[in-house]
Amino acid sequence: MHYRNFMVISTKIVLQCDTEKKGYLSIDDLQVAMVAILGYKACKEELEKLLSPQINFQGILFSACENLLLQKLQDYDVNEEIREIFMAFDINCRGFLTLDDIMSIFEEVAPSIPKATILSIFRNVDFDEDGQVSYRDFEYVMRLQLDSTK
């Protein structure tokens, strides 16, 4: 979603969620706003943790709320992208990748990479050494890569 569109839509929704016209959102109001904007219902404990530095005794101000929602949207987009990549690689829909899967992927997209290098990559990503790269393993490596490019 384009930033400007997100801000226009989220501002309207945030204002609508302030049903009592208090000028801020309570945790309950924010929970409704997150569902409306992100399609994601956070539990109250998660919201309290997210809000602890930004919340005053009454609730969260609109500007801080919009920043928080924008950050959650960006996080969601990254999660979706990682999930889509994993699903594209997991052609057998097993929820994990085997060494053969990884070899096939590399043969298709980077055939010049030596098999020994691919094996080394696989072993480094297979954290629990069960011969499978789980989604959790894959996500962790992808996030490391994303964090290193920031």
Side-chain angles (χ1 to χ4, degrees):
M1 180 182 296
H2 189 270
Y3 174 78
R4 175 177 239 143
N5 292 342
F6 173 79
M7 293 309 292
V8 169
I9 292 167
S10 67
T11 299
K12 288 179 182 178
I13 291 173
V14 165
L15 291 171
Q16 290 173 351
C17 289
D18 180 19
T19 56
E20 298 172 13
K21 308 300 179 220
K22 305 174 295 286
Y24 61 88
L25 294 184
S26 67
I27 289 178
D28 291 335
D29 296 336
L30 180 59
Q31 195 172 34
V32 172
M34 285 184 76
V35 169
I37 296 168
L38 303 175
Y40 166 70
K41 183 177 181 182
C43 67
K44 288 190 180 186
E45 293 80 24
E46 179 184 358
L47 290 175
E48 288 170 357
K49 183 179 175 186
L50 286 171
L51 298 178
S52 59
Q54 300 160 348
I55 199 164
N56 64 28
F57 67 97
Q58 299 168 329
I60 183 170
L61 299 175
F62 291 156
S63 60
C65 178
E66 289 172 348
N67 291 337
L68 176 71
L69 290 170
L70 183 59
Q71 181 59 48
K72 290 299 280 181
L73 179 67
Q74 290 169 341
D75 292 345
Y76 179 78
D77 288 346
V78 169
N79 291 340
E80 275 300 303
E81 188 173 344
I82 293 171
R83 191 173 297 109
E84 287 175 10
I85 293 168
F86 183 83
M87 288 171 49
F89 290 165
D90 183 18
I91 58 172
N92 296 311
C93 301
R94 296 175 299 209
F96 60 86
L97 304 172
T98 64
L99 178 58
D100 288 340
D101 296 333
I102 301 293
M103 289 285 192
S104 295
I105 292 164
F106 273 91
E107 283 176 19
E108 199 170 308
V109 297
S112 62
I113 295 179
K115 291 190 184 315
T117 302
I118 299 169
L119 179 60
S120 176
I121 291 168
F122 182 82
R123 288 182 177 154
N124 286 322
V125 176
D126 181 16
F127 295 111
D128 56 4
E129 300 176 351
D130 64 353
Q132 301 173 347
V133 173
S134 67
Y135 176 75
R136 183 173 287 177
D137 296 337
F138 183 82
E139 178 186 34
Y140 178 77
V141 170
M142 294 294 286
R143 287 191 178 280
L144 281 178
Q145 179 62 31
L146 288 171
D147 289 345
S148 71
T149 61
K150 288 183 180 179

